[in-house]
């Protein structure tokens, strides 16, 4: 339709029909829905009555349901305005890819985009029009369970990966039935709740917000995301969905966002609970005044918006503007001409879990695993005769992580399946040893596990945190291994030193003791559908680990928040970490540094950084600094290495990080091969938000380094004139 036709359509709509476009229901109100719900359930909504005017639905199962929902609605809607069908496709639909935090450890924007592209193919076949993805919240506290859903503690990584996902998911033309619209979330600073507890308040300076939390959302808006979702949390006292500064001033005026704003699950209604709205009608007013277009899943707008407009409290102009944004999105998706978009049972059969998607899922699982420690144990020898596979994840299918689609576990390749695929001749013994649930103190299986370890040539210890102990509403006040898994690890490793530990977790875990005793330690996160094949190939060397931590791993929960890009303080602790130094910034009972730092990750080969050079000693505002890093694969195996470029602004009007990642490139080198990786550094990358909340760069001396956080290898100085 043309915009003129849309405007005519709007003019012909009743007030109730306009309001309906801003209402979203759970599809479960209309169909029996095993997809469950993604928030607190509430009273059943008057589905049939609402269906006449409804604007969108959330979460359904497949193309057949998508078509049925659309048909049912179009038959009831006088204006025959198609529904928007929305879903959380975060890391895959039927094929599950590694969790986003794992993808961040891949430091490979193209690989992240490849996974998103395949998820798009499956989601569009399923009938999805909008995915609530990417989530790019900066997260620096592992107590917050949704840290698994973002890519990194570094907003630049979240922005680069989020933008890549938006571009490949939306494609060039949203009307192409294989493309779907992205809803970037959760705007803003949802990842910084007080005490790391989900949904809790966020208090931070505008400067910190603009420096470390807003950039990733902006990168996705600039990449063309057609929707954005305000976050549940109050931000500096005002919940995002009612926060006019955040939504009108920053999002609409400064960033020029012209897409649709959709609330999070009942976040409009929760304005009453938060204590900023006197009642549901007041909540509807506040959300509309802040420019929230769609009320997700509850009927606050449905019940109160028309009345607010009749009373002149909400202007018809504001209502029309919100409705037009929704109608334009539907039009961009081509829904008026093709209300079913990409829904196709035939396509579902063709693309779900197809070989190409599985291959990408396996490769992603391999490339996002982080080898934390390896004292000559890995890779295991292929001529191994007897393998003991021990731990609560030894035979688990729960290796997909939160936000995998319900039922994903039935498709997971388990560890035994992956090992047998690779080594059909080897004898494989499995013992659970113990559980992984919080509070599961049952030690009854440990002796059998120890016996299995003693009798094996190689031992794999598969431990971690249950996949639903991270994710939404899954905060923890402690981030150690649950239950008696450490006891199991101590006994098994003592029984057989040829043991490799696989960690399956969504949040960073504090595992200093495990790190001390494990001969080899591989962080697998939740690797998704191809978990077993990827783990086997990594353990036996068919794949060479190349992941780098996109978030530091803590010694203890007491260190949080623990951003890698910390400032120096006036009393930095000198010398090696660990021992307190009086009158310096340190702890009496533990180290300052993480157990494993941001950017760290080992390989089965070894990379030597030989040179870091710059093409000049100073640059002006219009110049760019050419930086080259020369490195060599000094080992015996082909491998990939993420070359990381860190910046330090030596003197500025505000304190600046001692190390700030400003770029990264991943390269693959054969044994003995040498390469030079080139970076361009411009004045834009030297900018920061100053005390007056202006984005500036300031003349002076800078340092550029390669290596990884807390372990910068080579450094050169240059000046900004
Ligand atoms: C949930 C989540 C959000 C998700 C939405 C729809 O509460 O906060 O990330 O997209 O509801 O499922």
């Amino acid at each position: 339709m043309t915009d003129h036709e849309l405007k005519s359509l709007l003019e012909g709509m009743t007030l109730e029909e306009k309001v309906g476009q801003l209402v979203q229901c759970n599809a479960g109100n209309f169909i029996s829905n095993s997809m469950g719900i993604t928030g607190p359930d509430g009273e059943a909504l008057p589905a049939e009555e609402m269906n006449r005017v409804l604007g969108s639905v959330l979460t359904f199962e497949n193309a057949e349901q998508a078509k049925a929902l659309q048909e049912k609605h179009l038959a009831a809607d006088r204006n025959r305005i198609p529904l928007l069908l929305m879903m959380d496709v975060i890391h895959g639909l039927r094929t599950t890819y590694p969790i986003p935090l794992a993808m961040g450890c891949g430091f490979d924007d193209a690989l992240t985009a490849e996974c998103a592209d395949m998820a798009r193919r499956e989601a569009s076949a399923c009938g999805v029009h909008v995915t609530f993805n990417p989530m790019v919240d900066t997260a620096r506290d592992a107590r917050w369970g949704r840290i698994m859903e973002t890519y990194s503690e570094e907003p630049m990584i979240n922005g680069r990966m989020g933008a890549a996902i938006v571009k490949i998911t939306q494609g060039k033309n949203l009307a192409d039935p294989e493309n779907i619209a992205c809803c970037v979330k959760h705007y803003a600073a949802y990842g910084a709740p007080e005490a790391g507890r989900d949904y809790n308040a966020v208090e931070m300076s505008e400067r910190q917000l603009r420096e470390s939390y807003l950039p990733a959302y902006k990168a996705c808006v600039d990449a063309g995301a057609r929707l954005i979702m305000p976050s549940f949390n109050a931000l500096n006292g005002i919940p995002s969905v009612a926060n006019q500064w955040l939504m009108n001033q920053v999002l609409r005026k400064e960033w020029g966002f012209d897409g649709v704003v959709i609330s999070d699950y009942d976040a409009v209604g929760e304005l009453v609970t938060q204590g900023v709205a006197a009642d549901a009608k007041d909540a509807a007013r506040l959300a509309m005044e802040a420019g929230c277009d769609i009320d997700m899943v509850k009927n606050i707008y449905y019940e109160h918006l028309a009345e607010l407009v009749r009373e002149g409290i909400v202007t018809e102009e504001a209502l029309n503007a919100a409705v037009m944004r929704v109608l334009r999105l539907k039009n961009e998706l081509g829904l008026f001409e093709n209300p079913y978009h990409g829904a196709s049972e035939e396509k579902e059969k063709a693309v779900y879990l197809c070989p190409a998607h599985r291959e990408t899922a396996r490769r992603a699982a391999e490339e996002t695993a982080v080898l934390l420690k390896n004292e000559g144990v890995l890779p295991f020898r292929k001529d191994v005769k007897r393998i003991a596979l021990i731990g609560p994840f030894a035979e688990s299918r729960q290796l997909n992580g939160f936000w995998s689609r319900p039922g994903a576990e039935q498709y997971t390749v388990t560890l035994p399946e992956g090992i047998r695929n690779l080594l059909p001749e080897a004898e494989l013994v499995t013992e659970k040893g113990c559980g992984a649930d919080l509070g599961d103190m049952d030690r009854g299986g440990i002796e059998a596990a120890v016996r299995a370890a003693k009798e094996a040539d190689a031992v794999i210890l598969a431990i971690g945190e249950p996949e639903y102990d991270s994710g939404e509403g899954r905060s923890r006040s402690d981030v150690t291994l649950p239950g008696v898994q450490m006891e199991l690890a101590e006994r098994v490793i003592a029984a057989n030193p040829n043991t490799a530990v696989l960690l399956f977790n969504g949040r960073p875990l504090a595992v200093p003791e495990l790190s001390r005793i494990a001969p080899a330690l591989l962080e697998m996160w939740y690797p998704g559908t191809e978990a077993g094949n990827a783990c086997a190939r990594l353990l036996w060397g068919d794949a060479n680990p190349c992941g780098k931590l996109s978030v530091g791993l803590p010694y203890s929960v007491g260190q949080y928040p623990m951003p890698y890009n910390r400032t120096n303080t006036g009393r930095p602790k000198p010398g090696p970490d660990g021992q307190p130094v009086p009158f310096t910034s340190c702890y009496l009972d533990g180290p300052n540094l993480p157990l494993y730092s941001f950017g760290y990750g080992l390989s089965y080969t070894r990379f030597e950084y030989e040179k870091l050079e710059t093409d000049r000693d100073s640059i002006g505002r219009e110049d760019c600094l050419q930086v080259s890093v020369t490195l060599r694969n000094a080992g015996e195996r082909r491998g990939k290495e993420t070359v990381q470029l860190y910046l330090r602004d030596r003197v500025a009007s505000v304190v600046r990080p001692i190390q700030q990642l400003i770029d990264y490139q991943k390269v693959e080198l054969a044994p003995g091969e040498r390469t030079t990786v080139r970076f361009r550094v411009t004045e834009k990358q030297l900018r920061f938000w100053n005390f007056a909340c202006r984005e500036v760069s300031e003349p002076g001396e800078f340092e550029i380094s390669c290596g990884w956080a807390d372990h910068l290898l080579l450094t050169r100085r240059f000046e900004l004139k």
Side-chain angles (χ1 to χ4, degrees), residues 490-619:
E490 284 156 0
R491 295 287 312 281
V492 164
I493 292 167
N496 190 330
N498 197 33
T499 294
V501 179
L502 298 180
L503 266 181
F504 296 98
N505 46 295
R507 60 164 47 80
L509 294 177
V511 289
E513 194 48 27
L514 178 67
S515 170
R516 187 180 66 79
I517 66 171
L521 185 58
L522 193 52
E523 175 58 80
M524 291 305 302
W525 306 110
Y526 293 116
T529 303
E530 284 289 316
N533 288 326
C535 289
R537 286 166 45 84
L538 286 163
L539 289 166
W540 271 274
D542 287 44
N544 184 358
C546 59
K548 304 287 184 184
L549 290 174
S550 64
V551 62
L553 301 189
Y555 263 95
S556 80
V557 71
Q559 292 178 296
Y560 283 118
M562 181 185 57
Y564 83 93
N565 57 341
R566 62 185 178 280
T567 57
N568 210 19
T569 78
R571 296 188 175 184
K573 181 165 77 166
D577 205 8
Q579 296 311 315
V581 176
F583 305 113
T584 65
S585 180
C586 67
Y587 300 106
L588 294 179
D589 56 355
N592 289 13
L593 294 182
L595 175 64
Y596 290 106
S597 293
F598 174 89
Y600 170 85
L602 299 176
S603 166
Y604 292 152
T605 189
R606 186 168 47 84
F607 295 96
E608 281 179 355
Y609 286 75
E610 297 177 336
K611 273 189 295 185
L612 182 151
E613 294 175 311
T614 55
D615 68 337
R616 60 186 74 189
D617 295 332
S618 65
I619 58 171

Side-chain angles (χ1 to χ4, degrees), residues 38 88 132 146 185-186 229 232 264-265 296 403 472:
T38 57
D88 294 282
F132 298 118
R146 298 192 80 163
K185 65 189 186 182
H186 305 82
M229 183 189 294
F232 285 120
D264 206 334
Y265 198 106
M296 181 189 285
W403 292 117
E472 182 174 356

Side-chain angles (χ1 to χ4, degrees), residues 320-340:
N320 288 345
V323 176
M324 269 308 277
R325 286 191 284 266
V326 173
L327 294 178
R328 284 190 177 118
L329 175 60
K330 295 182 177 185
N331 200 37
E332 282 179 63
L333 282 157
L335 296 180
F336 288 98
E337 293 75 28
N338 171 16
Y340 306 120

Side-chain angles (χ1 to χ4, degrees), residues 70-115:
Q70 194 67 280
E71 275 159 19
K72 184 181 178 75
H73 167 73
L74 290 172
D77 181 342
R78 177 178 74 88
N79 300 303
R80 294 189 59 76
I81 300 172
L83 289 171
L84 277 170
L85 303 183
M86 305 194 190
M87 189 186 288
D88 294 282
V89 184
I90 310 296
H91 52 114
L93 187 122
R94 180 58 52 82
T95 309
T96 305
Y97 301 91
I99 58 170
L101 190 57
M103 295 311 300
C105 294
F107 278 82
D108 186 338
D109 305 351
L111 179 58
T112 300
E114 185 181 336
C115 293

